[in-house]
């Protein structure tokens, strides 16, 4: 029985991350504390680098990854945003860094509880983005993340989101694979595309001027490639552990004969699943689609899953003031039809089964409704 | 002795910063990895060519210290034995990069940080930084900077790193002795390298070395080391040149009146009198 | 949605410059207004010009026989002319 933070730390330990720059922020601090104690006791062989800010953490991650080592760190909200400048540098230099984000609503005003604005702000940074719904998925996603990011068709960094407090501090049963199993699944990181070795001197991070657009096109294609890599790696993981997480991109539930469906991501999907089961017992034809990957945005998979569903709603635990719910905006553009946008759970505000039941009765309208 | 920084790059004619890097790399040799903070030198490699014969990493302006810290551990894991040289400008060091530099110094990472100091944010057109000396014109202090420059070597010495020094490429033997010392020392070494900038300071490129010599011989740029908290001067001008020779040779001080220059001369004289009274060697008391 | 007109080039699409000293291909000698010339007979091979050249464009043989300027990379800054009386500058034609 371990917390989400513990599961993230185990993911890094199993993947044999070598360099772990870190900085504390609620609600992620337990991840780095756990790793620190493992390194001190000798259970984990890694270099623990306490940095003086999150910007320095991401800089250290990028520098260590440029030198060809496997890296890991974790952060939340304000820290993630402080990293923003270097997020783009890291993905532009094609460094397969793994960063766990424990989501927390952004200041101001201050909250410590979870919402998704922090991770969604980074959606243009060129990082892959995954949302986990329970602690088992956190551990699995971190380990799989390395295999996906380090794939030569991808070579992009990835952030893995788990919801603050709800997952990060809650104990759930988690199966921890053995080191041997993971060593088979995930070989050591030995890149050729970026190294800092006097025997093979490279100049990295300089100006490209006119060729900028070409390199950006490579990032775009790498992100496209990642879709099939994610699916393949999840299939391999399923063979090994029995857990495939819906082939990696989306996880449909009761959509086969559903006439109404809600799209959601993160740990709230568990409560929504319970609501779907409850309404199904009453004969309601409802279903849900859990969005697991926000980047690359799984447009085709969403279209396929919801093709026969008449009324659709999206739960956004985020808001882009001036535009609307971020996920609803992207889903709408992808589906090309009416989608009711529900803004709920900002700053970790409780949603609950009753509210979900009411929401299922109010789909199919072209509105943005705030659920308090 | 081979050059690890070759020609064909776009640094200005007579750029002392590129000279500083060329000289430092001569001494440090091919087993060196350079980390660069954004500034003039960032444009040395321009895709698809690079003038460097050693590995070079540029991430951003403010994180050379953090990058060096991570690189130390990464190279150790990769069993690569190499000097780590951070080469960043004064804007990137005194100002925006101070946080990550302080973090690296506190950890006493085994690396050499050379701040190439043209006393401004040079690459963006000579704007004022906290390294800009009092009275200097910059495009953001058109009537002359009011504040004195930060005493960066003292700030670095306060972190208790084993070696801090000031240098100037116009005194190459002194500079390269200091780079050698920096490489030998176990722990962090910081060198503040004065690099006269023809474009920013306003003088003919051919005078680059002359201006550096004048800076030192007038006593306005002191060449010293701080080894484990003990300051010692490595060059004591026998008879100091008048500061007006140095100041009047640069357009950035052309707005100064004779009285202004007199005040600066008095200040420099006072500083050197104090140094002489202490025997040119003293404990910082940290 | 299909993406057209671009394709993935693998590791060569990573923005890294892999050829060291490739900048020597760039002729920055075209920057010159004045061209320095060393009077090789009177030069004592003190090495001062070689030390102070920011481009590393002045070369001295290992056995001190030959000293020459690489005019493809000399930008004509004039530091060497200023430092040594045996180096003179002529206007570049």
């Amino acid at each position: 029985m371990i917390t989400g933070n513990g599961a993230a730390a185990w993911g890094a330990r199993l993947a044999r991350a070598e360099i772990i720059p870190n900085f504390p922020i609620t609600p992620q601090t337990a991840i780095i504390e756990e790793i620190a104690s493992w390194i001190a006791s000798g259970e984990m062989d890694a270099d623990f680098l306490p940095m003086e800010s999150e910007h320095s953490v991401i800089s250290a991650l990028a520098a260590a990854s440029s030198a060809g080592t496997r890296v890991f760190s974790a952060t939340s909200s304000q820290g993630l945003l402080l990293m923003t400048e270097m997020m783009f540098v890291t993905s532009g230099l094609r460094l397969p860094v793994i960063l766990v984000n424990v989501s927390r609503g952004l200041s101001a005003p201050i909250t410590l509880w979870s919402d998704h604005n922090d991770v969604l702000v980074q959606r243009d940074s060129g990082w892959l983005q995954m949302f986990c719904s329970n602690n088992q998925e956190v551990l699995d996603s971190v380990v799989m993340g390395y295999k996906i990011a380090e794939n030569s068709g991808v070579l992009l960094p990835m952030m893995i989101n788990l919801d603050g407090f709800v997952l990060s501090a809650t104990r759930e049963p988690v199966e921890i694979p053995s080191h041997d199993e993971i060593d088979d699944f995930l070989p050591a990181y030995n890149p050729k595309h970026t190294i800092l070795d006097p025997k093979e001197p490279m100049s990295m991070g300089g100006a490209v001027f006119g060729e900028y657009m070409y390199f950006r096109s490579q990032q775009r294609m790498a992100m496209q490639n990642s879709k099939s890599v994610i699916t393949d790696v999840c299939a391999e993981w399923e063979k090994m552990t029995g857990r495939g997480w819906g082939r990696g991109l989306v996880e449909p539930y009761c959509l086969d004969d559903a006439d109404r469906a809600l799209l959601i991501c993160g740990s709230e999907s568990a409560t929504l699943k319970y609501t779907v089961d409850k309404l199904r017992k009453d004969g309601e034809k409802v279903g849900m689609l859990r969005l697991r990957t926000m980047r690359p945005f799984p447009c085709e998979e969403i279209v396929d899953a919801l093709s026969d569903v008449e009324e659709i709603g999206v739960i956004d635990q985020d808001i882009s003031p001036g535009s609307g719910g971020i996920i609803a905006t992207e889903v709408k553009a992808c589906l090309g039809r009416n989608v009711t946008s529900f803004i709920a759970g900002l700053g970790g505000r409780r949603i609950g089964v009753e509210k979900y039941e009411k929401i299922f009765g109010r789909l199919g309208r072209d509105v943005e409704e705030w659920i308090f | 002795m081979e050059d690890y920084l070759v020609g064909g790059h776009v640094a200005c004619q007579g750029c002392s910063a590129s000279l500083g890097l060329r000289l430092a790399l001569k001494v440090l040799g091919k087993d060196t990895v350079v980390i660069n903070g954004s500034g003039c030198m960032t444009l040395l490699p321009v895709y698809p060519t690079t003038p460097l014969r050693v590995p070079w990493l540029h991430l951003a302006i403010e994180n050379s210290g953090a990058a060096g810290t991570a690189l130390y551990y990464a190279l150790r894991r990769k069993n690569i034995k190499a000097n780590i040289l951070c080469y960043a400008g004064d804007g990137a060091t005194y100002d925006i990069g101070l946080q990550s530099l302080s973090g690296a110094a506190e950890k006493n990472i085994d690396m050499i940080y050379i701040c190439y100091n043209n006393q401004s944010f040079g690459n963006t057109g000579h704007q004022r930084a906290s390294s800009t000396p009092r009275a200097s014109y910059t495009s953001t202090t058109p009537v002359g900077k009011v504040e004195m420059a930060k005493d960066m070597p003292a700030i670095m010495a306060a972190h208790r790193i084993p070696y801090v020094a000031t240098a100037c490429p116009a005194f190459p033997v002194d500079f390269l002795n200091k780079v050698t010392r920096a490489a030998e020392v176990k722990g962090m070494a910081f060198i503040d390298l004065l690099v006269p900038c023809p474009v920013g300071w306003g003088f003919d490129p051919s005078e680059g070395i002359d201006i550096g010599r004048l800076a030192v011989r007038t006593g306005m740029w002191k060449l010293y080391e701080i080894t484990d908290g003990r300051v010692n001067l490595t060059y004591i001008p026998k008879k100091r040149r008048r500061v007006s020779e140095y100041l009047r040779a640069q357009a950035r001080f052309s707005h100064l009146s004779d009285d202004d220059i007199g005040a600066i001369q008095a200040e420099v004289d006072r500083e050197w009198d104090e140094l002489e009274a202490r025997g040119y060697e003293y404990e910082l008391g940290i | 949605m299909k993406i057209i007109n671009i394709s993935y080039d693998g590791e060569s699409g990573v923005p890294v410059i892999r050829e060291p000293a490739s900048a020597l291909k760039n002729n920055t000698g075209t920057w010159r207004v004045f061209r320095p010339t060393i009077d090789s007979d009177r030069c004592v091979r003190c090495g001062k010009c070689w030390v102070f050249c920011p481009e590393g464009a002045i070369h001295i043989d290992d056995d001190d026989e030959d000293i020459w300027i690489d005019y493809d990379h000399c930008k004509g800054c004039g530091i060497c002319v200023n430092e040594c009386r045996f180096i003179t500058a002529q206007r570049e034609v």
Side-chain angles (χ1 to χ4, degrees), chain A residues 31-353:
Chain A
I31 300 178
I32 62 175
E33 288 175 332
E34 184 85 59
I35 291 177
S37 77
W38 287 338
I39 293 174
S41 69
E43 290 170 82
M44 186 170 174
D45 174 21
D47 289 308
F48 193 74
L49 269 50
M51 307 302 288
E52 64 291 339
S53 80
E54 285 95 346
H55 189 283
S56 291
V57 166
I58 182 73
S59 306
L61 287 168
S65 187
S66 305
T69 53
R70 190 175 272 163
V71 297
F72 174 85
S73 193
T75 189
S76 300
S77 72
Q78 311 306 119
L80 183 64
L81 262 61
L82 186 61
M83 294 182 174
T84 304
E85 180 205 26
M86 279 298 301
M87 302 293 279
F88 287 77
V89 173
T90 309
S91 122
L93 290 179
R94 309 290 298 284
L95 303 170
V97 168
I98 299 295
L99 182 71
V100 164
N101 184 61
V102 183
S103 65
R104 166 182 151 184
L106 293 170
S107 291
I110 298 179
T111 179
L112 297 178
W113 301 342
S114 166
D115 77 26
H116 295 149
N117 252 112
D118 57 353
V119 62
L120 289 173
V121 161
Q122 305 292 6
R123 66 197 186 283
D124 292 336
S125 60
W127 283 58
L128 285 93
Q129 296 191 325
M130 303 246 162
F131 283 82
C132 298
S133 61
N134 59 52
N135 295 349
Q136 180 71 67
E137 192 175 358
V138 170
L139 190 155
D140 292 356
S141 300
V142 171
V143 180
M144 284 196 280
Y146 285 99
K147 192 150 190 181
I148 297 164
E150 292 168 6
N151 183 295
S152 63
V154 180
L155 297 174
L156 287 173
M158 181 191 290
M159 67 180 85
I160 293 148
N161 192 72
L162 62 135
D163 293 336
F165 291 107
V166 175
L167 289 185
S168 69
T170 310
R171 289 181 190 277
E172 291 178 353
V174 172
E175 193 234 316
I176 301 174
S178 70
H179 271 293
D180 287 333
E181 270 182 284
I182 302 301
D183 287 340
D184 276 337
F185 172 79
L186 182 68
Y189 181 53
N190 275 313
K192 285 189 211 53
H193 69 299
T194 60
I195 55 170
L196 291 169
D197 186 346
K199 291 194 206 69
E200 212 184 307
M202 299 181 188
S203 290
M204 290 177 60
V208 299
F209 294 118
E211 295 308 311
Y212 181 85
M213 197 159 168
Y214 165 71
F215 289 113
R216 292 295 248 147
S217 77
Q218 296 303 296
Q219 256 182 308
R220 177 78 170 111
M221 291 311 297
M223 191 67 89
Q224 271 300 95
N225 293 346
S226 71
K227 282 180 86 173
S228 62
V229 174
I230 290 170
T231 314
D232 289 344
V233 170
C234 283
E236 206 187 323
W237 188 260
E238 184 163 21
K239 236 208 229 133
M240 201 175 89
T241 64
R243 301 182 294 269
W245 305 110
R247 286 171 299 129
L249 301 168
V250 295
E251 223 180 12
Y253 187 67
C254 295
L255 283 178
D256 288 334
D257 63 339
D259 53 34
R260 284 164 288 151
L262 272 177
L263 214 146
I264 197 168
C265 56
S267 61
E268 279 294 322
S269 61
T271 315
L272 188 61
K273 208 177 201 185
Y274 180 88
T275 313
V276 167
D277 287 339
K278 185 161 183 270
L279 289 172
R280 280 268 170 186
K281 278 209 195 77
D282 293 336
E284 306 254 10
K285 290 220 176 89
V286 294
M288 65 177 260
L289 185 66
R290 180 169 78 90
L291 191 63
R292 196 169 170 272
T293 320
M294 183 61 184
R295 286 291 182 269
F297 190 72
C299 189
E300 286 95 1
E301 288 74 12
I302 292 175
V303 168
D304 276 341
L306 298 175
S307 55
D308 293 328
V309 180
E310 282 166 37
E311 293 177 353
I312 298 166
V314 175
I315 307 276
D316 262 297
Q317 295 161 70
D318 59 83
I319 183 70
S320 178
S323 166
I326 295 169
I327 300 175
T329 309
E330 297 211 6
V331 169
K332 222 189 220 176
C334 165
L335 286 177
R337 55 180 166 123
N338 258 355
V339 153
T340 314
S341 166
F342 295 98
I343 310 297
L346 296 186
R349 195 180 173 97
R350 190 176 178 281
I351 308 175
V353 174

Side-chain angles (χ1 to χ4, degrees), chain B residues 14-239:
Chain B
C15 172
S16 282
S18 60
L19 176 60
L21 182 61
R22 177 182 158 243
L23 292 175
L25 286 177
K26 264 193 181 321
V27 159
L28 294 174
K30 73 166 179 50
D31 289 324
T32 307
V33 178
V34 185
I35 292 174
N36 171 244
S38 309
C40 293
M41 296 290 98
T42 306
L43 288 144
L44 290 179
V46 175
Y47 192 83
T49 65
T50 176
L52 289 141
R53 283 210 168 97
V54 291
W56 166 280
L57 176 68
H58 165 264
L59 292 174
I61 188 172
E62 70 280 71
N63 53 16
S64 306
T69 304
L71 192 63
Y72 170 77
Y73 289 97
L75 291 180
R76 214 171 61 160
R77 287 214 162 241
K78 288 284 193 193
N79 274 319
I80 295 173
K81 288 207 174 358
N83 295 309
I84 296 174
L85 172 66
C86 289
Y87 201 67
D90 51 298
T93 301
Y94 283 52
D95 284 329
I96 191 171
L98 187 56
Q99 178 191 80
S100 80
L101 173 58
S102 176
E106 184 258 336
K107 293 182 184 69
N108 200 18
I109 301 294
D110 189 10
M111 68 187 202
I112 304 163
Y113 192 109
I114 298 180
C115 167
Y116 65 91
N117 190 346
N118 56 23
Q119 301 187 321
S120 67
F121 282 104
N123 197 37
T124 41
H126 199 68
Q127 285 80 41
R128 143 278 197 259
S130 63
S131 48
T132 306
R134 180 186 288 163
S136 166
Y137 164 90
T138 65
S139 68
T140 43
T141 56
V143 296
K145 184 175 180 243
V146 171
E147 305 85 356
M148 284 178 66
K150 270 184 197 167
D151 186 353
M152 198 64 190
I155 293 173
M156 293 312 295
H159 288 75
R160 301 192 202 101
I161 60 175
Y163 189 69
V164 176
T166 59
C168 182
F171 290 76
V173 176
D174 177 80
F175 172 44
L176 292 180
N177 280 340
K178 286 165 174 168
V179 174
T180 308
R181 185 89 193 86
E184 285 166 359
V185 145
K186 268 254 151 290
M188 187 162 181
F190 177 84
I191 298 178
D192 199 351
L193 182 72
L194 183 73
V195 291
C197 169
V199 176
W201 296 12
F203 58 83
D204 189 273
S206 64
E207 293 167 12
I209 304 298
D210 272 344
I211 298 286
R213 273 194 206 107
L214 277 174
V216 174
R217 290 197 176 137
T218 54
M220 290 200 75
W221 183 258
K222 301 178 186 62
L223 295 182
Y224 60 92
E225 299 171 311
I226 308 177
T227 312
D228 294 322
R230 186 166 186 79
V231 182
N232 69 285
L233 271 86
T234 57
Y235 179 83
I236 299 153
K238 280 199 264 303
K239 183 173 153 60

